[in-house]
Amino acid sequence: MSENLSGGIAVSQERTFVAVKPDGVERGYVGEIISRFERRGLKLVGLKQMQVPVELAERHYGEHKGKPFFDGLVKFITSGPIVAMVWEGKGAITLARNVIGATNPAQSAPGTIRGDLAVEIGRNMVHGSDGPESAAREIGLFFKDEELIKDWNRAVDKWVCE
Ligand code: DAT
Ligand code: MG
């Protein structure tokens, strides 16, 4: 793993924003979902349970504004507590998307969170950033810099990445 740190994160590393949506919290799958990212080897560097204000939900899902499902999506994501997280690791954004599975659970592969635990698109349990720009934007929307762990090199990291 790279020793070359910039802003508290090694240059070979990536960060992504993940959230357990209200359906996942209500159904009691917070631990199960966190466990799947841990098992994959990603590092949890930010974590909080929160109630999302409507303005934050609208900004977070800004790319979908104007689409027919937008109002329902905002209503859903603000309907109960979520668990917001930042996961760090090599290729963390794509890795997390793969752990989560396809947007529509009807098409999500078995072994993914959505493919194992969800049934339809409006109750798909988890959010994960879809690229480096959205990851940076979403982490900034949900977390203050001081809420994130910096310069944390786990002893196990050398057994996860060469
Ligand atoms: P993802 O969450 O996989 O990144 P997305 O960014 O395209 O998917 O959409 C955000 C969320 O909006 C998605 O998790 C569920 C909801 N959504 C997307 N398309 C939808 C649709 N056609 N009908 C209802 N809800 C939809
Ligand atoms: Mg998305």
Side-chain angles (χ1 to χ4, degrees):
M1 208 185 79
S2 175
E3 295 295 319
N4 191 2
L5 298 170
S6 72
I9 167 171
V11 290
S12 66
Q13 302 284 290
E14 215 173 54
R15 283 179 170 184
T16 188
F17 175 70
V18 170
V20 183
K21 296 182 183 182
D23 51 344
V25 177
E26 288 282 345
R27 291 174 60 193
Y29 281 127
V30 173
E32 155 96 28
I33 289 168
I34 289 177
S35 175
R36 285 172 177 239
F37 293 100
E38 282 185 315
R39 272 158 46 193
R40 192 65 197 262
L42 291 171
K43 185 156 54 180
L44 186 59
V45 296
L47 174 69
K48 63 180 165 189
Q49 187 168 32
M50 61 186 286
Q51 178 77 44
V52 181
V54 171
E55 315 78 67
L56 176 58
E58 287 177 345
R59 287 180 71 189
H60 171 65
Y61 282 126
E63 65 172 306
H64 298 300
K65 204 172 164 83
K67 294 181 185 170
F69 60 85
F70 180 76
D71 289 350
L73 181 59
V74 169
K75 201 169 173 193
F76 168 56
I77 208 73
T78 59
S79 66
I82 68 154
V83 174
M85 296 172 267
V86 178
W87 289 93
E88 185 181 303
K90 194 172 185 180
I93 297 168
T94 301
L95 217 60
R97 292 280 291 188
N98 290 342
V99 169
I100 292 167
T103 302
N104 186 347
Q107 271 118 45
S108 311
T112 65
I113 295 169
R114 288 167 173 166
D116 288 347
L117 306 175
V119 171
E120 59 176 25
I121 198 163
R123 297 286 184 273
N124 65 6
M125 307 282 282
V126 196
H127 170 83
S129 306
D130 65 5
E133 278 163 29
S134 53
R137 190 179 71 82
E138 292 166 0
I139 291 168
L141 279 177
F142 283 86
F143 287 92
K144 298 187 186 112
D145 201 41
E146 60 267 28
E147 290 176 314
L148 301 175
I149 305 296
K150 288 170 198 69
D151 302 334
W152 179 27
N153 292 303
R154 300 178 302 186
V156 75
D157 286 340
K158 69 175 179 186
W159 301 106
V160 177
C161 288
E162 54 180 340

